[in-house]
Amino acid sequence: MSMLQLRLVDSKSSVTKEKILDAAEALFMEHGFEATGLRQITTGAGVNLAAVHYHFGSKEELLQAVLTRRLDPMNQERLALLDQLENDARGKPLTCEAIIGAMFIPALKLARDKARGGKNFLRLIGRAYADPAPFIRQFLSHQYAPMIAFFKAAFGRTLPHLPAKELSWRLHFLMGALSYTLAGTDVLKLISALNPIATDNDELLLRRLGPFLVAGLQAPLADLSELTARPKSGRRGVRSA
Amino acid sequence: MSMLQLRLVDSKSSVTKEKILDAAEALFMEHGFEATGLRQITTGAGVNLAAVHYHFGSKEELLQAVLTRRLDPMNQERLALLDQLENDARGKPLTCEAIIGAMFIPALKLARDKARGGKNFLRLIGRAYADPAPFIRQFLSHQYAPMIAFFKAAFGRTLPHLPAKELSWRLHFLMGALSYTLAGTDVLKLISALNPIATDNDELLLRRLGPFLVAGLQAPLADLSELTARPKSGRRGVRSA
DNA sequence: CGATGATTCAAACAAACGTTTGAATGTTTT
DNA sequence: AAAACATTCAAACGTTTGTTTGAATCATCG
C-alpha cells in the first residue's frame, strides 16, 4: 500500500514540477537566467507563482534542477561509454577519436532529442559556463569534475608522450571548440554568413569536428625552451615566414 | 575659438563619461550584464544615477559603448596586422601560424593592458557571445562580420585544398577554442583542478594554443562517404607544408 | 552682466523582481 | 467521518529595477 501511495504522490507532484521545469528550461534558453522572471515561467507552465518556491525553494535551485535533469544522465552516459570502450580494449589505450566520441555522442543524443530540451538546451549550458554567478560556477564544477577527471586520465593513457601540463591545455582548447560547437552560438552563423553551414546533420558534424580535435591533440609539442629558459628573448609573436 | 571650446566641453564630459564606462566595464565583467544594476555602476563611478541616461541613453547603449571602446581598436589592429603580413608576403599565401597570430596578438595585447580593462574584459566578450539578448547579438555580428570575412579569405588562400564549407567549420572550431581560452572561463580551472595551469603567461599560452589550432586547420579531410563508425588506429600525420 | 546651453543632482516614477503568507483545496491516513 | 498531510491559490510583502522629471549648478557666449 505505501508503495502505491508514494508513487501516486510522486507522479502527481511531478506533473506540476515537470511543467515548471519544462517552461523554465525553454525560457532560460531563450532569454537567459537573469532575464527570465518567475512569473513568465509560472504563467508559461500554467501553474501558480508560489509553486516554484514550494517545489524547488528558490529560483537558483530551480536552475540547478533544470540543469541536472539533462546533464546528470548525459555525463553518466559519457562515463559509461568510456568505461565500455576501455573494457573492450582490454588494457590497450584507446584512440583519440574513440575518447572524443565518448564525450561527443551523448551530447549529440541530448541535442537530437527534441522532446528533452532539444539542441537549444546545450546553448543554456554554454551560457551557464560563461556565467560569473558563484552558485552556477560551484554547481557546474561539482557536476563536471569527476567526468573530466576520467576523460583526462583516458587521454593521458592514449597520449603518454604529452606532458600533463600540455594535456591540460589541449583539453581546455578541446572543451572550447566542443562547447562552442554544441552551444551553436551566433559566431557560427556569423562565420557562415558568407557560406552557410547546415547544423542539422549531427553525424557530419562529428566527422568534421573529430579530425580537427584529433589533429590538435596530437599536434607536435611547441618549442618552449626559448621562452622558459630565457624570458628576455626579444622575439615575440608567432613564427611567420 | 570654437575649436577650443569644443575640446574643453569634450574633455569635461569625458570625465564623467569615462568614469561610468570604467565602472560599468568592471561590474559587467564581475557580475554580468543583467545582474549589474545602474546604481552599482553610478555609485562605483562616483557620479549621479541620471548621468547614465544623459550620456548614453539607456543601459543597453551603455553596454555597447563599453564593448566598442575596446573591441573597435582591437579588431582594427587585427585587420592592420593581417594587412601588413600580406603586404610583406607580396602575394604569397601566409602561414596558418601567421594568420592565427594576427587574430590572437591584438587580443593578448588587450588582455595584458591592465589599465584598459585587463584580461577580464575578454571574459565579458565571451559572455556577450553566449548572451541570447537580441541587441547584443545584433551588435556583435555587426561589429565582427567584416573582420571575420577578411580572415576567412586569408585562410582560404593559405589552405586552398580545403573546401569552403569545411573551412567554415574549422574556423568555427577555431573561434571556439580561441574564445574559450581568451575568456578564461571556469572550465579551465575545472580541468586544471588536478593539474594547475598558470594563465598569467600569455606568450606561453599562444605557443600552446597555436600548434593546436594549426594542426586542427591542417588536419586531413574526413572521409564523409561512409558514416558507419569505424575506429581507425594508426598514424595521423599533422605535418604539412 | 544677462543669457544660453550643457551638465549635475535629488527625488520620484511605474513596473517587475523574488519571496512569503495564510487560507482554501485535494488527497491520504487513522 | 475526522484528523493529518500535501498541494494550490490569490494577494501582498518589501526591494529593486531602469527610466524620467524639473530644478539647481556650472561654464561659455553675445
Side-chain angles (χ1 to χ4, degrees):
Chain A
M1 292 298 243
S2 60
M3 287 290 285
L4 180 60
Q5 291 152 14
L6 279 177
R7 281 173 49 107
L8 285 179
V9 169
D10 272 355
S11 69
K12 184 175 177 301
S13 71
S14 290
V15 173
T16 300
K17 220 169 175 175
E18 284 197 15
K19 277 199 292 186
I20 294 178
L21 284 174
D22 289 338
E25 183 179 73
L27 288 168
F28 284 158
M29 291 187 307
E30 196 172 349
H31 306 111
F33 174 67
E34 305 267 10
T36 302
L38 284 183
R39 282 160 183 84
Q40 305 175 39
I41 295 173
T42 52
T43 59
V47 302
N48 189 269
L49 170 62
V52 171
H53 295 86
Y54 178 80
H55 286 288
F56 299 97
S58 70
K59 191 189 177 186
E60 295 192 353
E61 288 171 280
L62 171 61
L63 174 63
Q64 295 183 8
V66 167
L67 293 178
T68 42
R69 183 168 64 146
R70 312 282 186 218
L71 253 48
D72 235 4
M74 186 188 80
N75 281 342
Q76 222 165 327
E77 197 181 343
R78 281 172 159 170
L79 286 178
L81 217 60
L82 181 63
D83 204 53
Q84 175 198 322
L85 287 176
E86 288 190 324
N87 276 359
D88 293 352
R90 301 227 173 277
K92 289 190 176 183
L94 304 171
T95 64
C96 276
E97 292 96 330
I99 305 177
I100 290 175
M103 297 191 73
F104 200 81
I105 290 174
L108 275 186
K109 258 178 74 178
L110 176 60
R112 227 192 309 244
D113 192 349
K114 295 189 178 182
R116 299 194 171 213
K119 64 179 61 177
N120 283 339
F121 174 75
L122 293 169
R123 279 182 51 193
L124 176 57
I125 304 177
R127 194 171 154 70
Y129 269 126
D131 203 300
F135 86 96
I136 293 184
R137 309 198 155 197
Q138 195 171 346
F139 170 81
L140 282 181
S141 69
H142 183 276
Q143 184 91 357
Y144 269 92
M147 181 211 69
I148 290 187
F150 272 93
F151 275 88
K152 187 178 174 183
F155 277 117
R157 284 188 293 272
T158 294
L159 304 166
H161 62 286
L162 268 191
K165 205 169 269 184
E166 184 76 25
L167 176 60
S168 288
W169 275 107
R170 296 193 181 183
L171 264 179
H172 178 231
F173 304 146
L174 181 148
M175 288 291 292
L178 194 76
S179 298
Y180 238 62
T181 301
L182 293 178
T185 57
D186 272 344
V187 189
L188 174 59
K189 293 170 187 168
L190 208 146
I191 295 176
S192 65
L194 303 127
N195 190 20
I197 302 178
T199 49
D200 49 323
N201 195 331
D202 298 329
E203 215 71 53
L204 278 172
L205 176 59
L206 177 54
R207 290 273 176 152
R208 292 185 197 275
L209 177 57
F212 183 93
L213 295 178
V214 171
L217 280 172
Q218 296 180 334
L221 271 170
D223 180 21
L224 301 176
S225 59
E226 188 182 332
L227 288 168
T228 49
R230 287 206 152 270
K232 190 174 177 287
S233 160
R235 268 190 53 91
R236 22 192 68 222
V238 289
R239 276 184 211 75
S240 54
Chain B
M1 287 307 140
S2 59
M3 287 288 284
L4 180 60
Q5 291 151 14
L6 279 177
R7 281 174 48 107
L8 285 179
V9 168
D10 271 356
S11 68
K12 184 175 177 299
S13 71
S14 290
V15 173
T16 300
K17 220 168 174 176
E18 285 198 14
K19 276 199 293 185
I20 294 177
L21 284 174
D22 289 338
E25 184 178 73
L27 288 168
F28 285 158
M29 292 187 306
E30 195 171 348
H31 308 111
F33 173 67
E34 306 268 9
T36 302
L38 284 182
R39 282 158 183 87
Q40 306 174 37
I41 296 173
T42 52
T43 59
V47 302
N48 189 270
L49 170 62
V52 170
H53 294 85
Y54 178 80
H55 287 287
F56 298 97
S58 69
K59 191 190 177 185
E60 295 191 353
E61 289 171 280
L62 171 60
L63 174 63
Q64 295 183 8
V66 166
L67 292 178
T68 42
R69 183 169 63 146
R70 312 283 185 216
L71 252 48
D72 235 4
M74 187 187 78
N75 281 341
Q76 223 165 325
E77 196 181 345
R78 282 172 160 169
L79 285 177
L81 217 60
L82 180 64
D83 204 54
Q84 176 198 321
L85 287 176
E86 288 189 325
N87 276 0
D88 292 353
R90 300 230 173 275
K92 290 192 175 183
L94 304 171
T95 63
C96 276
E97 292 97 329
I99 306 176
I100 290 175
M103 297 190 72
F104 201 83
I105 289 174
L108 275 187
K109 256 179 74 177
L110 176 60
R112 226 190 311 240
D113 192 347
K114 295 190 177 182
R116 299 195 171 213
K119 64 179 61 178
N120 284 339
F121 175 75
L122 293 169
R123 279 182 53 190
L124 175 57
I125 303 175
R127 194 171 154 70
Y129 268 126
D131 203 301
F135 86 96
I136 294 184
R137 308 197 156 199
Q138 195 171 346
F139 169 81
L140 282 181
S141 70
H142 183 275
Q143 183 91 358
Y144 270 92
M147 181 210 68
I148 289 187
F150 272 94
F151 275 87
K152 185 178 175 183
F155 276 117
R157 284 189 292 273
T158 294
L159 304 166
H161 61 286
L162 268 190
K165 204 168 271 184
E166 184 77 25
L167 176 60
S168 288
W169 276 107
R170 297 193 181 182
L171 264 179
H172 178 231
F173 304 146
L174 182 148
M175 288 291 292
L178 195 75
S179 298
Y180 238 64
T181 301
L182 291 178
T185 58
D186 272 346
V187 189
L188 173 60
K189 293 171 187 166
L190 209 147
I191 294 176
S192 65
L194 304 126
N195 190 20
I197 301 177
T199 49
D200 50 322
N201 195 331
D202 298 329
E203 215 70 53
L204 278 172
L205 176 60
L206 177 55
R207 291 275 176 149
R208 293 185 197 274
L209 177 58
F212 183 93
L213 295 178
V214 170
L217 280 172
Q218 296 180 335
L221 271 170
D223 180 19
L224 301 177
S225 57
E226 55 171 320
L227 288 177
T228 53
R230 182 198 303 181
K232 55 170 93 170
S233 61
R235 58 176 295 91
R236 289 148 290 260
V238 285
R239 259 285 163 259
S240 62

